Amino acid sequence: MKTVLQKVRSGLNTKLGFFILTVVLFAIKTYWAYQNKFTLGAEGSIQQFLLFFNVFPGAIILIGIALYFRGRLSYWLMMLIDFLLSFWLFANILYYREFSDFISFSLITGAGSTSNNLGKSIAGIFRGSDLFAFADVAILILFLLFKVIRIDPHYFKIRYAGVITLLGFLLFGANLGMAEGNRSQLLTRIFDNNYIVKYLGLNFYTAYDAVKTHHNSEVKSKASSSDLKPVLKFLKKNQTSKNVTYAGKAKGKNVFIIHLESLQQWVIDYKVDGEEVTPNLNKIYHASDTIAFDNFFNQVGQGKTADAELMLENSLFGLPEGSAMTTNGTTNTFQSAPAILEQQQGYTTASFHGDVPSFWNRDNAYKSFGYEYFFSKSYYPSVKDDDVGYGIKDKIFLKGAANYVQQLPQPFYAKLITITNHYPYILDKKNKSIDALKTGDNTVDPYVQTAHYLDQSIGEFMSYLDKSGLRKNSMIVLYGDHYGISNNHKPAIADILGKKSVDNYDLAMFQKVPFMIQMPGLKGGINHTYGGEIDVLPTIENLLGVYHKNYIQFGQDLLATDRKQIVAFRDGDFVSSQFTKYGGDLYYTKTGKKVTHETKAQKAVVAKDQKYVTTELSLSDDVVNGDLLRFYHPKHFTKVNKKDYNYNLNASLKRLKEAQVKKKTSVETENGGKSTLDDYTTDAPELKDSSFVFPSIK
């Protein structure tokens, strides 16, 4: 044993040995922090392995820089680099505790808001165990001071240092390969910084964020107000007339935006073994006071849900790669629905989501949009088995959301984002109440079960709106954000559609999602207009009496009689009332028949539609990438100041309570200060034996 210890100590007394010890101690410390200080959601052996493994490449490359220097300087540089990396870890531990996200360069440079300097003093955030972030640095210093390890004065050959650096990059390549294998499109479809850190590590996240921030800054620095000229020219040329039948019909009403996760239009009125998958939505869809659109398409790209939100709130398209909410949501200027309604009509604005606030960068993007409140996961009671993987189950979430809805001063604009009907459509047995499909595709078959659960949750929420009196004074907008079943499941899609096989026309029509507007007294019916998510905001604005032509919005009012009815897909394909271009094929939209020989007149129409789509997408990208709205100052609109918004739980609850007292228009206030949550009936099995206690102001 003594000989082994002597060999170990002898090895540590070499520069290479000290380097290895530094890297290993740093990796152990960092892995401990990943597990105990962050909520990264590492599940299964592969993700746990990557969580530990991803520390090594960056540590080897960065700490290895010291090996290129001589003597004592090399040792002190190793500890200095270790200290700086540890300090960065420590800073992120404090920031994450308050905001459930990691520090970005846009935040550091002041482009983003730290929410009034973290919203608390450092003393209020700090925990004693956070100092473990410096444990390895302290150990190494003590080892050197007490000469447990002696400094090796010998020169470390440059070529050996180069080999170690190369090893670091090779390990990173292996790390990236394994990460992509477990999570495809990891870097092209970023929706949560937690995922980058989980798979590739905090150091890589920092480097990636620096490159991304620099690139965005370069694009924006070259942009100028003159770039707005082609945008304004295009929008003016394609303006629609106001539909006087509907203009202002919902003015002063509360607005509920109910986000139906992954729900597609084919599910409406669809039955499994004679049972309706969505009976509650079917009822709304066919109601006389509902305008339901049966040719409404999702238009998302890689950003999926984030793209849908961007279009809904801003009438701007998502980007061709990644998500604008993550890459531009923190730094860009927006003129969004929440800010417009708050400034023009005094609306209280709030978004509700049962997951962590950092998902899709909502905690920052919503400040840019002008949301006064963001009720994320920590605002809801903790209930056993309430999480479905992407957030709180819909029945529990919507009941929890109702608690805050009743406290919002009216009129309000409230967006509720459901999540249970999310891929991979997993639902525990106690919540399944309809048979699965029998296509033989294990991904597709359970889709109707989670869709049915979503529908039940909507039914319960609508019942609450009736009982609490909210429904009679509200406009309810329901929409599906994107497809739930991708085109990779063609045999199953054919089975669903009752066909032997599907072509590109079928796949294009499969991109339809529900869009319904329900309000007592509204002249309803099934509307066959062709449109998409980019058109939602102008449509809502017309109903609310907001003059949307003041703003840069690429959508058109779906109720306007002179709208173009051209739906642009993010990849440049399109659907119009005449033609559908999808996957390289061209079809007649009304019949689905493939166009094999185009006439000269048909070619001209298709070319004109294609030019419109290409121009629309390109100009929208210019607005987002160049942050062009900073140069545009519409009448009666003040630029959103992100520092005015703070989604810290305690601060939000306090502000909400103060607003209730000041405005006296919330449902709870009108009910004599008594909660209306007793009117909310749910059959969620998780709530039968669980308490439902909400966070209170501390």
Side-chain angles (χ1 to χ4, degrees):
M1 179 63 73
K2 187 176 180 180
T3 304
V4 173
L5 289 174
Q6 287 176 337
K7 288 182 178 180
V8 171
R9 186 169 182 179
S10 176
L12 293 177
N13 286 331
T14 66
K15 193 172 294 185
L16 177 62
F18 187 81
F19 167 75
I20 293 173
L21 177 64
T22 303
V23 170
V24 170
L25 288 178
F26 177 79
I28 292 172
K29 174 267 305 284
T30 304
Y31 180 71
W32 172 86
Y34 285 170
Q35 294 283 23
N36 295 281
K37 298 297 181 178
F38 307 112
T39 308
L40 300 179
E43 298 175 351
S45 57
I46 294 176
Q47 290 185 15
Q48 285 293 340
F49 172 75
L50 287 172
L51 196 64
F52 180 66
F53 182 81
N54 71 38
V55 183
F56 286 94
I60 290 172
I61 293 168
L62 294 172
I63 298 174
I65 293 172
L67 296 176
Y68 291 90
F69 296 84
R70 296 171 179 265
R72 292 177 178 272
L73 178 60
S74 179
Y75 280 79
W76 292 117
L77 277 176
M78 272 190 256
M79 287 188 291
L80 176 62
I81 294 170
D82 188 4
F83 173 79
L84 292 175
L85 294 175
S86 299
F87 183 81
W88 183 242
L89 176 65
F90 174 75
N92 273 279
I93 288 172
L94 297 183
Y95 186 79
Y96 194 94
R97 182 169 294 131
E98 180 75 356
F99 297 105
S100 299
D101 202 356
F102 298 92
I103 300 173
S104 66
F105 276 89
S106 61
L107 191 80
I108 295 172
T109 57
S113 168
T114 57
S115 197
N116 298 321
N117 297 319
L118 298 183
K120 295 180 181 179
S121 65
I122 293 298
I125 301 172
F126 174 74
R127 303 287 184 273
S129 59
D130 297 341
L131 290 176
F132 191 76
F134 300 101
D136 57 325
V137 180
I139 290 171
L140 292 172
I141 291 174
L142 291 173
F143 277 3
L144 290 175
L145 287 177
F146 289 95
K147 297 184 179 180
V148 176
I149 295 176
R150 297 182 181 275
I151 292 176
D152 179 7
H154 295 96
Y155 175 69
F156 194 79
K157 294 182 178 180
I158 295 293
R159 66 173 180 271
Y160 293 159
V163 169
I164 288 174
T165 300
L166 178 61
L167 174 64
F169 282 105
L170 289 174
L171 289 176
F172 173 71
N175 184 185
L176 184 60
M178 288 185 287
E180 281 287 336
N182 191 255
R183 179 75 192 187
S184 62
Q185 296 182 308
L186 179 63
L187 296 181
T188 57
R189 188 171 167 256
I190 300 299
F191 50 84
D192 192 342
N193 293 332
N194 284 298
Y195 276 68
I196 304 180
V197 175
K198 177 171 69 173
Y199 283 104
L200 299 174
L202 179 61
N203 294 327
F204 176 82
Y205 159 75
T206 303
Y208 177 82
D209 181 67
V211 171
K212 183 179 68 176
T213 302
H214 175 72
H215 173 73
N216 291 343
S217 178
E218 283 288 299
V219 172
K220 291 173 185 176
S221 66
K222 295 176 182 178
S224 67
S225 58
S226 62
D227 295 326
L228 279 171
K229 291 180 181 178
V231 174
L232 295 173
K233 182 179 178 181
F234 174 83
L235 295 179
K236 184 177 181 180
K237 181 181 177 182
N238 294 288
Q239 279 184 352
T240 58
S241 303
K242 185 187 298 184
N243 188 325
V244 295
T245 302
Y246 291 100
K249 292 298 180 183
K251 189 170 185 177
K253 299 283 189 181
N254 299 316
V255 180
F256 284 99
I257 306 291
I258 302 181
H259 173 112
L260 306 171
E261 172 64 40
S262 303
L263 199 73
Q264 296 180 238
Q265 178 67 18
W266 67 266
V267 178
I268 300 297
D269 291 333
Y270 192 85
K271 295 181 180 180
V272 175
D273 296 332
E275 185 175 357
E276 292 178 301
V277 176
T278 57
N280 294 293
L281 289 172
N282 296 346
K283 184 178 179 181
I284 298 171
Y285 184 80
H286 294 290
S288 60
D289 57 359
T290 297
I291 305 174
F293 296 85
D294 62 355
N295 287 315
F296 183 86
F297 294 79
N298 87 79
Q299 298 173 280
V300 304
Q302 291 180 339
K304 295 289 185 66
T305 297
D307 285 357
E309 287 194 69
L310 185 78
M311 286 186 279
L312 180 85
E313 310 283 21
N314 301 275
S315 199
L316 296 171
F317 286 95
L319 296 175
E321 293 182 349
S323 156
M325 271 179 59
T326 56
T327 58
N328 304 86
T330 305
T331 56
N332 270 26
T333 296
F334 291 97
Q335 293 161 8
S336 311
I340 291 170
L341 292 177
E342 188 277 326
Q343 292 185 25
Q344 289 200 18
Q345 298 188 1
Y347 273 71
T348 304
T349 60
S351 184
F352 300 78
H353 187 42
D355 202 358
V356 293
S358 61
F359 205 86
W360 286 126
N361 194 37
R362 288 185 176 99
D363 50 343
N364 293 309
Y366 282 174
K367 292 174 184 175
S368 300
F369 291 177
Y371 268 114
E372 188 175 358
Y373 301 99
F374 177 27
F375 299 102
S376 56
K377 190 171 186 176
S378 62
Y379 286 82
Y380 305 98
S382 179
V383 177
K384 185 180 180 182
D385 298 328
D386 68 344
D387 199 294
V388 75
Y390 284 88
I392 302 170
K393 292 173 183 173
D394 294 341
K395 290 183 181 180
I396 304 170
F397 161 68
L398 287 176
K399 180 167 184 177
N403 175 65
Y404 299 110
V405 166
Q406 67 171 341
Q407 298 178 56
L408 294 176
Q410 302 180 81
F412 57 72
Y413 174 89
K415 179 172 67 175
L416 299 105
I417 304 172
T418 63
I419 202 67
T420 308
N421 193 45
H422 194 295
Y423 174 84
Y425 315 115
I426 296 173
L427 194 62
D428 43 4
K429 187 176 180 180
K430 62 188 176 184
N431 279 297
K432 293 178 182 178
S433 56
I434 193 172
D435 291 336
L437 293 171
K438 298 179 178 64
T439 69
D441 188 318
N442 292 332
T443 298
V444 174
D445 288 350
Y447 175 81
V448 292
Q449 295 178 311
T450 51
H452 188 64
Y453 176 91
L454 165 60
D455 179 79
Q456 289 176 321
S457 71
I458 296 300
E460 292 176 350
F461 186 75
M462 297 297 281
S463 178
Y464 165 74
L465 295 184
D466 283 328
K467 293 177 182 177
S468 64
L470 271 167
R471 192 169 183 177
K472 64 184 179 183
N473 193 40
S474 300
M475 177 172 72
I476 300 164
V477 179
L478 302 104
Y479 83 109
D481 61 338
H482 55 76
Y483 62 81
I485 299 171
S486 75
N487 291 346
N488 296 324
H489 303 275
K490 291 179 183 177
I493 293 173
D495 189 284
I496 289 168
L497 298 178
K499 297 186 174 186
K500 291 183 179 180
S501 62
V502 291
D503 58 15
N504 281 328
Y505 174 81
D506 296 318
L507 296 178
M509 296 302 111
F510 207 63
Q511 303 310 308
K512 292 181 182 180
V513 292
F515 179 50
M516 315 173 211
I517 303 173
Q518 189 277 331
M519 185 182 73
L522 189 66
K523 183 181 178 181
I526 307 298
N527 190 304
H528 306 302
T529 297
Y530 288 86
E533 290 160 330
I534 198 73
D535 303 311
V536 172
L537 182 56
T539 306
I540 292 175
E541 286 173 326
N542 177 52
L543 286 161
L544 293 173
V546 174
Y547 188 68
H548 60 83
K549 293 175 185 177
N550 286 334
Y551 302 98
I552 291 178
Q553 298 174 358
F554 285 87
Q556 295 186 332
D557 179 4
L558 289 170
L559 299 172
T561 56
D562 58 346
R563 60 170 281 101
K564 281 190 173 294
Q565 296 199 70
I566 301 176
V567 183
F569 293 124
R570 184 56 261 193
D571 61 1
D573 284 343
F574 65 86
V575 173
S576 75
S577 57
Q578 289 181 270
F579 296 103
T580 293
K581 180 177 174 289
Y582 197 81
D585 294 324
L586 186 67
Y587 302 88
Y588 296 105
T589 299
K590 296 291 175 62
T591 64
K593 184 179 178 181
K594 191 172 183 180
V595 179
T596 53
H597 301 288
E598 293 177 77
T599 65
K600 186 177 180 179
Q602 288 174 335
K603 285 183 178 179
V605 172
V606 172
K608 185 179 180 181
D609 288 351
Q610 185 66 73
K611 182 180 179 180
Y612 176 87
V613 167
T614 303
T615 304
E616 182 183 36
L617 291 170
S618 176
L619 291 176
S620 178
D621 290 347
D622 289 345
V623 171
V624 175
N625 289 325
D627 189 17
L628 298 186
L629 292 183
R630 62 188 153 137
F631 304 119
Y632 187 67
H633 309 289
K635 293 180 180 178
H636 311 299
F637 185 86
T638 303
K639 181 181 177 180
V640 171
N641 184 354
K642 303 174 188 69
K643 293 182 180 180
D644 290 341
Y645 302 97
N646 181 355
Y647 301 142
N648 169 270
L649 189 149
N650 196 58
S652 291
L653 294 182
K654 184 178 180 180
R655 191 169 65 252
L656 181 60
K657 188 61 64 178
E658 291 172 348
Q660 268 192 292
V661 173
K662 182 179 179 180
K663 296 185 178 180
K664 296 181 173 57
T665 59
S666 71
V667 170
E668 187 177 67
T669 302
E670 292 176 348
N671 196 40
K674 182 182 177 183
S675 172
T676 62
L677 206 58
D678 288 341
D679 292 329
Y680 202 112
T681 303
T682 176
D683 64 0
E686 297 84 358
L687 298 181
K688 288 183 178 179
D689 301 314
S690 302
S691 57
F692 207 56
V693 181
F694 290 90
S696 57
I697 300 173
K698 296 180 181 179

